[in-house]
Amino acid sequence: MVAILSLMVVMGFMMLGEWVSTRSRAYVPSVFITALLFLVGFWTIVPKNIVPAASFGTVFIQITQAVLLVHMGTLMDLKLLLKQWRAVVIALSGVVGTVVLTMGIGRLLFDWHTIVASVPPLTGGLVAAFLMTAGLKAQHITALVAFPVAMFVMHSMLGYPLTAWMLKRESRRLLQVRHVDVTVATADSATSATVQTTAQLPVCPLPTVPAKVKSVQPQLRHWQLPAAYDTSAFMLFKVAAVTGLAEWTAQLAHGTVNQYIICLVFGVIAHQLGFLEDAVLEKAGVFHWLMYGLLAYIFANLNIVKISMLSGILIPIVTLIVLGVLGMWIASSLLARPLRFSREMAFASALTALFGFPADYIVTHEVTEIMGSTAEEKQYLLDQMLPKMLVGGFATVSVASVIIASIFLKIL
């Protein structure tokens, strides 16, 4: 009975966070509301061991962290990354700007351990927050465990609305460009129609909206079975096999390369070879369960936060967020013109480091729904913005943040 009630409370907090986010059109992040509910709950009547009691304990997390990184590898399409290399460069430059400014100016304001514990989640969201939390616990630096969680929760409060604002500005610019192009094309067509009266030539049609950009997925499916046998259990077996091979390789490396980076790389390789499907854990039907468990495990660390500690956490966290976002803006602005991006699109691509997939996908779709007045305009905006946002998120959250977190754990 205790386990069921604990699960009900944990998922209730998740549910309320999602409802508020949906109601506010993602301007109020779900993770902020959920974290706030956990925090108030721990201060009042919620038991501090409610998360492990709900089945999200140590063993569950040991499995979850590795298989989710393998899964993240299946979200990456190397051909799309290469095609959108400018977005990758700008997004990664934003990460560099964040690290330089927070480690530079931040070091003058706060102690070393506070900065090292807080910066990685600023460059990679959930994955980096988990890696830093687990690393701090392993090194028994319990006083700083709350910092990665607080950074993960707080930076989304600025990241979501700022990204939406940048994409709205970019949408207005793109629609103006499209309107001018269509006007010119209409004038050309009218001229052609006049000439056709005497020359009897066919009228040139108006240029159509660019076809939807599609992610080119690997076709080498030598491992594919008939649909009746390609079950969720088979998919999970393959994920477990790749994860096991990755962890065995990490043991052979004796810590030279972080095991989570190896899991990510093996996921990419297995996906490119066709051994693992696109978004394999989603197709197996377990992705959301694992993500909710990982989120709950991270929020469980709020049980050590007391009201008296908040001022000591919030001041450095907010300061580092401002410095980090400023670093993203400076770096992306410097590269925008040379790489033929608008400043708005460049900054939005860099901001994907704050949340990654699927938030970058959701925010972009919500903006296009608001800014496009017709189905053609909405599709046009998606074609122009979504690939850049997706590859930016993959490059920062899936790759850069894991590398940064693994490096920062060694310099704690």
Side-chain angles (χ1 to χ4, degrees), residues 266-290:
F266 274 53
V268 173
I269 293 172
H271 176 239
Q272 293 300 307
L273 293 176
F275 183 68
L276 293 180
E277 295 86 345
D278 308 328
V280 61
L281 292 181
E282 292 185 42
K283 291 184 177 179
V286 299
F287 173 74
H288 291 96
W289 177 252
L290 296 177

Side-chain angles (χ1 to χ4, degrees), residues 191-264:
T191 302
S192 299
T194 303
V195 174
Q196 181 183 350
T197 305
T198 56
Q200 295 185 352
L201 295 176
V203 179
C204 297
L206 288 175
T208 58
V209 178
K212 184 177 180 180
V213 179
K214 295 182 180 179
S215 174
V216 180
Q217 302 295 348
Q219 301 297 321
L220 301 176
R221 294 299 308 277
H222 303 301
W223 327 90
Q224 189 171 17
L225 294 177
Y229 297 95
D230 196 15
T231 62
S232 296
F234 179 56
M235 295 179 195
L236 290 173
F237 169 78
K238 291 190 292 183
V239 171
V242 173
T243 306
L245 183 60
E247 295 199 338
W248 177 69
T249 304
Q251 290 178 358
L252 293 179
H254 299 292
T256 305
V257 181
N258 186 276
Q259 70 180 67
Y260 301 120
I261 296 178
I262 295 178
C263 286
L264 177 66

Side-chain angles (χ1 to χ4, degrees), residues 86-380:
R86 293 182 179 87
V88 172
V89 171
I90 288 176
L92 293 178
S93 74
V95 171
V96 173
T98 295
V99 174
V100 169
L101 219 59
T102 51
M103 297 292 287
I105 299 177
R107 185 68 182 89
L108 302 175
L109 303 174
F110 309 109
D111 65 89
W112 174 254
H113 285 102
T114 297
I115 295 172
V116 174
S118 305
V119 170
L122 187 56
T123 66
L126 176 61
V127 176
F130 171 77
L131 295 179
M132 291 307 299
T133 300
L136 290 167
K137 282 186 172 181
Q139 297 187 35
H140 306 290
I141 311 178
T142 55
L144 296 176
V145 167
F147 277 86
V149 185
M151 178 61 79
F152 168 65
V153 171
M154 293 298 296
H155 72 52
S156 59
M157 286 297 295
L158 178 62
Y160 288 157
L162 185 57
T163 304
W165 184 45
M166 288 295 108
L167 290 178
K168 287 178 181 178
R169 289 172 60 90
E170 175 68 1
S171 296
R172 292 190 189 98
R173 186 190 71 83
L174 289 171
L175 289 175
Q176 288 176 355
V177 171
R178 183 176 185 272
H179 177 71
V180 170
D181 290 344
V182 171
T183 301
V184 171
T186 303
D188 291 343
S189 297
T191 302
S192 299
T194 303
V195 174
Q196 181 183 350
T197 305
T198 56
Q200 295 185 352
L201 295 176
V203 179
C204 297
L206 288 175
T208 58
V209 178
K212 184 177 180 180
V213 179
K214 295 182 180 179
S215 174
V216 180
Q217 302 295 348
Q219 301 297 321
L220 301 176
R221 294 299 308 277
H222 303 301
W223 327 90
Q224 189 171 17
L225 294 177
Y229 297 95
D230 196 15
T231 62
S232 296
F234 179 56
M235 295 179 195
L236 290 173
F237 169 78
K238 291 190 292 183
V239 171
V242 173
T243 306
L245 183 60
E247 295 199 338
W248 177 69
T249 304
Q251 290 178 358
L252 293 179
H254 299 292
T256 305
V257 181
N258 186 276
Q259 70 180 67
Y260 301 120
I261 296 178
I262 295 178
C263 286
L264 177 66
V265 170
F266 274 53
V268 173
I269 293 172
H271 176 239
Q272 293 300 307
L273 293 176
F275 183 68
L276 293 180
E277 295 86 345
D278 308 328
V280 61
L281 292 181
E282 292 185 42
K283 291 184 177 179
V286 299
F287 173 74
H288 291 96
W289 177 252
L290 296 177
M291 285 297 293
Y292 286 137
L294 184 58
L295 278 171
Y297 180 81
I298 289 176
F299 291 143
N301 292 286
L302 293 173
N303 64 10
I304 67 171
V305 177
K306 297 179 174 59
I307 297 178
S308 59
M309 295 171 57
L310 284 182
S311 60
I313 292 177
L314 289 180
I315 292 175
I317 290 298
V318 172
T319 304
L320 291 172
I321 289 173
V322 172
L323 289 174
V325 172
L326 180 60
M328 288 182 186
W329 179 77
I330 293 173
S332 61
S333 296
L334 290 174
L335 288 179
R337 190 165 186 174
L339 295 180
R340 301 196 297 275
F341 269 50
S342 67
R343 287 189 175 182
E344 291 82 3
M345 191 68 246
F347 191 25
S349 298
L351 285 169
T352 56
L354 298 179
F355 39 80
F357 184 86
D360 50 8
Y361 179 88
I362 294 170
V363 172
T364 306
H365 269 268
E366 288 182 346
V367 168
T368 57
E369 286 295 320
I370 294 171
M371 301 303 295
S373 56
T374 65
E376 290 78 12
E377 286 185 353
K378 293 175 183 178
Q379 188 60 57
Y380 172 74

Side-chain angles (χ1 to χ4, degrees), residues 380-402:
Y380 172 74
L381 293 176
L382 273 180
D383 294 341
Q384 297 298 319
M385 297 190 300
L386 186 58
K388 299 179 179 67
M389 293 295 289
L390 288 178
V391 298
F394 290 153
T396 54
V397 176
S398 299
V399 180
S401 67
V402 179

